[in-house]
Amino acid sequence: MKHTRVKDLLNSTTILQGVNAKGWVRTFRNNQFIALNDGSTINNIQCVVDFENTPEETLKRITTGAAISVTGDLVESKGAGQKYEIKVEKLEILGDSDAEIFPMQPKKHSLEFLRENAHLRVRTNAFGAIMRIRSVLSFAVHSYFQEKGFVYVNTPIITGSDAEGAGEMFKVTALPFDNPPRTEDGKVNYKEDFFGKETNLTVSGQLEGETFAMALGQIYTFGPTFRAENSNTSRHLAEFWMIEPEVAFNDLNDNMDLAEDFIQFVIKYTMDKCGDDLKFLEGRLLEEEKSKPQADRSEMALLEKLNFVLENNFKRVSYTEAIDILRDCTPNKKKKFQYIINEWGADLQSEHERYLVEKHFKCPVILFDYPANIKAFYMRLNEDGKTVRAMDILFPGIGEIVGGSQREERFDVLVEKMKALGISEEELWWYLDTRRFGSAVHSGFGLGFERLVLFVTGMTNIRDVIPFPRTPMNAEF
Ligand code: 4AD
Ligand code: MG
């Protein structure tokens, strides 16, 4: 007999005879009431056991975490809290779970503890909800771009280039690291390596994506990216997923419009599909905030915050305006910032970004026209000769969620910039070809998928929105 998903049983419009459900026991009360969850929804189905006619041996094995199969009629529930329940006629233990040692007890666990048990935390309500939302958000990303006719491009994971020029890369090699072949001057000889050159895990698919945009018009990537930056923060992962659209003939304003529309679409889509999960996470958050001092609590509940992003335009502010605001703000004057903003040209830290978004503008902000020397080599130089057509989108509680730009399409200007930064023209000959042959204005951006999931779920640590986080000193599982 084929089992029916709990979600479908709970959504049934009538009572049903002889249904089968399979899942994991969340709780078992009074030797009678099983709360069964199968991951299809945050909601459990109540299964009522006829304990008088069930062997004591079997009842003992209905423990939290056990996998079971129940068969019986779906009937109207006499208890409060659910419309339907299963009146169990047949119960089978599929996999026992020793209640003494099963780590996911029916009580509140700390997020730290759950991280150490990432293989089991997905059996909790919160992580089930987060991972379902993550899945729906991924689909929303594809829906958005596919409906608009963008081509999905799988850019390489192993590359020879450092797209961001930041040098924060994981090396890929097949050489024996204890005794690699060396050149005459003692350096590792990568000519003898698997690819005959130095390679690394990609930090971004942008450069390859640009070449496709210059043929297919509008493309997007959605894949894993890797950064060996030693940032042990609640916003950084060493392995994260990035979405990178790239569009020929778009300028920076078009790029901002696209990013804003895209983010609003995927949030709306997820709100429409994941109501129960979001409501659960909202409740969890409210509960958690009760223990915080009033000043540290969020001004809006989760759904209100998401609606706010849908209903309000993102505020567009130039870097220069932002610096003026930051220089004159109270935390800067009172030296409350770790990095004091003294002059134009300063790189913005997350404390500054969050001040602008959370305290000053109180809405998502798009900062644009950054100083050239704090941004990547491929961004288009403005007429002023000192700023580039860059944009970062800053979100409340998150900081930077998107980084993007209009690209430098002028061959000579690009080459000059690469020379100044010591970026090899020989290595990037293929990238330069896009500017040699049929170059045109084009723009794109990268959205950190986990930062989006953070925002939508209201979680505060990026380790809690990816199944198995990779961070400095941590690659368990
Ligand atoms: O700002 P970034 O470094 O931009 C790029 O990689 C460009 N090539 C994108 C483009 O224009 N196509 O990264 C883009 C986004 C950031 O805004 C942030 O959301 C996310 O990627 N990100 C990270 N997320 C998690 N952990 C990290 N270590 C991240 N580094 C960047
Ligand atoms: Mg960035």
Side-chain angles (χ1 to χ4, degrees), residues 35 154 166 192 198 269 280 305 354 375 382 400 414:
N154 302 121
E192 290 188 33
E198 266 193 90
Y269 185 99
F280 173 83
K305 186 185 78 171
R354 293 186 61 171
K375 287 289 180 188
N382 276 314
E400 180 190 334
L414 184 59

Side-chain angles (χ1 to χ4, degrees), residues 37-146:
N37 191 282
D38 70 350
S40 60
T41 156
I42 188 129
N43 301 308
N44 304 322
I45 192 157
Q46 173 157 290
C47 309
V48 186
V49 180
D50 176 6
F51 64 98
E52 279 165 349
N53 292 309
T54 308
E56 186 63 30
E57 262 320 291
T58 309
L59 292 173
K60 269 201 226 145
R61 293 170 65 195
I62 307 175
T63 53
T64 297
I68 63 168
S69 168
V70 295
T71 310
D73 293 341
L74 186 74
V75 298
E76 270 169 30
S77 176
K78 293 183 201 93
Q82 64 274 319
K83 190 166 165 219
Y84 293 120
E85 63 189 20
I86 298 175
K87 187 164 171 283
V88 179
E89 277 148 32
K90 189 170 156 237
L91 186 147
E92 198 185 335
I93 308 284
L94 304 174
D96 286 288
S97 170
D98 184 343
E100 294 291 309
I101 55 172
F102 180 56
M104 300 294 115
Q105 295 293 322
K107 61 160 198 172
K108 200 167 160 50
H109 293 292
S110 74
L111 290 170
E112 290 76 17
F113 172 82
L114 291 170
R115 256 168 242 150
E116 287 161 15
N117 290 280
H119 60 306
L120 293 175
R121 67 177 176 174
V122 68
R123 294 198 196 183
T124 65
N125 282 331
F127 282 88
I130 294 164
M131 295 308 157
R132 275 186 297 270
I133 290 171
R134 184 181 164 106
S135 162
V136 170
L137 267 173
S138 307
F139 193 75
V141 168
H142 286 294
S143 287
Y144 179 82
F145 289 119
Q146 293 287 332

Side-chain angles (χ1 to χ4, degrees), residues 164 227 375 392 400 402-403:
E164 290 304 295
R227 303 225 175 152
K375 287 289 180 188
D392 277 6
E400 180 190 334
V402 162

Side-chain angles (χ1 to χ4, degrees), residues 99-325:
E100 294 291 309
I101 55 172
F102 180 56
M104 300 294 115
Q105 295 293 322
K107 61 160 198 172
K108 200 167 160 50
H109 293 292
S110 74
L111 290 170
E112 290 76 17
F113 172 82
L114 291 170
R115 256 168 242 150
E116 287 161 15
N117 290 280
H119 60 306
L120 293 175
R121 67 177 176 174
V122 68
R123 294 198 196 183
T124 65
N125 282 331
F127 282 88
I130 294 164
M131 295 308 157
R132 275 186 297 270
I133 290 171
R134 184 181 164 106
S135 162
V136 170
L137 267 173
S138 307
F139 193 75
V141 168
H142 286 294
S143 287
Y144 179 82
F145 289 119
Q146 293 287 332
E147 270 168 33
K148 287 200 154 14
F150 282 61
V151 177
Y152 177 39
V153 181
N154 302 121
T155 48
I157 289 171
I158 301 174
T159 74
S161 65
D162 176 3
E164 290 304 295
E168 292 162 333
M169 298 175 299
F170 289 102
K171 212 163 238 159
V172 173
T173 176
L175 292 177
F177 68 84
D178 44 356
N179 186 23
R182 300 203 178 260
T183 57
E184 270 167 20
D185 52 3
K187 293 199 177 116
V188 174
N189 187 0
Y190 288 102
K191 288 214 173 80
E192 290 188 33
D193 202 351
F194 189 91
F195 297 107
K197 62 182 289 193
E198 266 193 90
T199 49
N200 50 271
L201 293 178
T202 185
V203 294
S204 156
Q206 179 195 321
L207 304 192
E208 291 91 349
E210 279 185 56
T211 69
F212 267 53
M214 296 312 280
L216 301 172
Q218 13 177 37
I219 65 99
Y220 70 106
T221 73
F222 186 1
T225 48
F226 308 86
R227 303 225 175 152
E229 52 187 336
N230 202 356
S231 301
N232 228 330
T233 79
S234 57
R235 306 280 177 273
H236 288 89
L237 290 165
E239 176 181 295
F240 64 99
W241 287 64
M242 186 150 54
I243 296 135
E244 295 186 276
E246 191 72 34
V247 184
F249 317 116
N250 262 11
D251 66 13
L252 191 68
N253 282 321
D254 302 324
N255 204 29
M256 293 190 216
D257 292 343
L258 177 67
E260 188 170 338
D261 189 52
F262 164 61
I263 292 175
Q264 289 176 331
F265 174 91
V266 295
I267 291 178
K268 173 87 174 45
Y269 185 99
T270 307
M271 288 176 82
D272 289 345
K273 302 266 179 206
C274 299
D276 285 353
D277 286 329
L278 287 168
K279 229 175 277 152
F280 173 83
L281 291 174
E282 173 172 274
R284 183 192 163 278
L285 214 62
L286 288 173
E287 203 50 47
E288 201 180 68
E289 296 221 316
K290 279 187 191 157
S291 62
K292 290 188 187 168
Q294 194 73 40
D296 294 349
R297 297 184 198 167
S298 14
E299 283 170 29
M300 290 182 215
L302 182 60
L303 290 162
E304 195 186 350
K305 186 185 78 171
L306 297 177
N307 270 316
F308 182 85
V309 170
L310 299 187
E311 287 158 11
N312 292 281
N313 292 335
F314 299 2
K315 178 91 185 148
R316 301 183 185 191
V317 185
S318 75
Y319 167 90
T320 304
E321 287 170 76
I323 285 291
D324 287 343
I325 293 164

